[in-house]
Amino acid sequence: RKEVEQDPGPFNVPEGATVAFNCTYSNSASQSFFWYRQDCRKEPKLLMSVYSSGNEDGRFTAQLNRASQYISLLIRDSKLSDSATYLCVVRNQGGKLIFGQGTELSVKP
Amino acid sequence: ETGVTQTPRHLVMGMTNKKSLKCEQHLGHNAMYWYKQSAKKPLELMFVYNFKEQTENNSVPSRFSPECPNSSHLFLHLHTLQPEDSALYLCASSQDERTVSSYNSPLHFGNGTRLTVT
């Protein structure tokens, strides 16, 4: 089993839709969690850190469920510009950062 | 604008060439990383340096040779590469990943070097 797993997608949604991605992790002692966004042929960019109590940044909401060992990203009112690959990143108890394989999102007009 | 700068942005080299990739970070971080990303594939960690000390070598072939002269600069020296080494090479930095207090520190990536080996 991979240490961090994501559904690769692609998720094809219309503009204005709400879409949610999940990411599961296998190490229960994982310390911190992040969502990154990567556009085609570009570097990953930090979208948001994920805090234990959940956090929101505009149309984006991140949640952490330690009991079930997953994090989620919810995008409301999708825009065309949200089309990208979303990477789940987990830092394990040794401090090592583990990347998921990414979930591809395509928002259509 | 990124606080991590990579040069060159694009590189085409033959299999017998020797070239170097350069990375510089202006974020005051103590850890620097090299990642490789082949087309349509996940990121692959290559090397990690903490306070100039190499703390991880992820079974990378010896034709890739990293160098970290200080916490702000990282190089990747390339020699006798193969066509399958063509990929996007990404440098990143963060706070020292061995320090628990830095665990919430995310990675900051450079723009990457797109390498083509002919």
Side-chain angles (χ1 to χ4, degrees):
Chain A
R1 181 185 174 188
K2 291 180 183 174
E3 198 163 346
V4 176
E5 288 201 74
Q6 295 181 250
D7 181 344
F11 283 62
N12 296 305
V13 303
E15 264 188 298
T18 295
V19 61
F21 310 133
N22 277 349
C23 167
T24 58
Y25 59 95
S26 59
N27 188 332
S28 60
S30 295
Q31 297 288 327
S32 51
F33 309 87
F34 310 92
W35 283 105
Y36 279 73
R37 170 199 169 122
Q38 186 173 25
D39 292 286
C40 188
R41 300 175 68 83
K42 294 201 171 177
E43 79 277 17
K45 292 185 178 177
L46 179 67
L47 182 63
M48 56 200 304
S49 301
V50 186
Y51 302 120
S52 298
S53 55
N55 47 301
E56 188 174 307
D57 182 1
R59 297 182 293 109
F60 299 84
T61 301
Q63 297 276 356
L64 167 63
N65 185 318
R66 283 196 182 272
S68 300
Q69 293 181 210
Y70 74 86
I71 65 172
S72 63
L73 178 68
L74 181 78
I75 305 175
R76 289 181 298 279
D77 188 23
S78 301
K79 312 290 184 191
L80 296 177
S81 56
D82 293 334
S83 297
T85 296
Y86 290 83
L87 300 167
C88 167
V89 184
V90 175
R91 192 186 290 275
N92 66 20
Q93 79 273 30
K96 187 174 177 180
L97 285 161
I98 312 295
F99 280 77
Q101 73 268 43
T103 297
E104 185 181 344
L105 171 67
S106 180
V107 181
K108 306 291 188 184
Chain B
E1 175 169 338
T2 181
V4 182
T5 305
Q6 284 186 247
T7 54
R9 293 292 303 275
H10 301 272
L11 178 63
V12 179
M13 61 185 288
M15 290 191 284
T16 58
N17 290 161
K18 289 185 180 181
K19 296 286 183 184
S20 295
L21 309 185
K22 179 182 176 183
C23 177
E24 184 174 358
Q25 59 95 2
H26 308 278
L27 299 169
H29 290 158
N30 299 307
M32 295 189 78
Y33 309 74
W34 280 116
Y35 284 87
K36 173 185 177 182
Q37 190 173 36
S38 303
K40 303 262 184 202
K41 289 189 177 178
L43 285 162
E44 299 173 47
L45 179 65
M46 300 176 73
F47 301 103
V48 182
Y49 279 82
N50 283 277
F51 290 98
K52 304 187 298 176
E53 176 189 338
Q54 188 181 119
T55 53
E56 186 149 356
N57 176 337
N58 208 21
S59 303
V60 180
S62 59
R63 57 185 185 271
F64 295 92
S65 174
E67 178 190 358
C68 188
N70 55 61
S71 293
S72 299
H73 293 85
L74 185 65
F75 296 89
L76 188 63
H77 303 301
L78 316 171
H79 63 98
T80 59
L81 294 193
Q82 306 297 313
E84 59 265 28
D85 296 322
S86 299
L88 178 67
Y89 288 84
L90 289 158
C91 174
S93 72
S94 73
Q95 295 296 344
D96 177 13
E97 67 172 19
R98 299 171 303 180
T99 305
V100 173
S101 60
S102 298
Y103 278 7
N104 288 326
S105 170
L107 279 183
H108 295 258
F109 286 90
N111 292 331
T113 295
R114 188 158 297 282
L115 173 67
T116 304
V117 181
T118 60

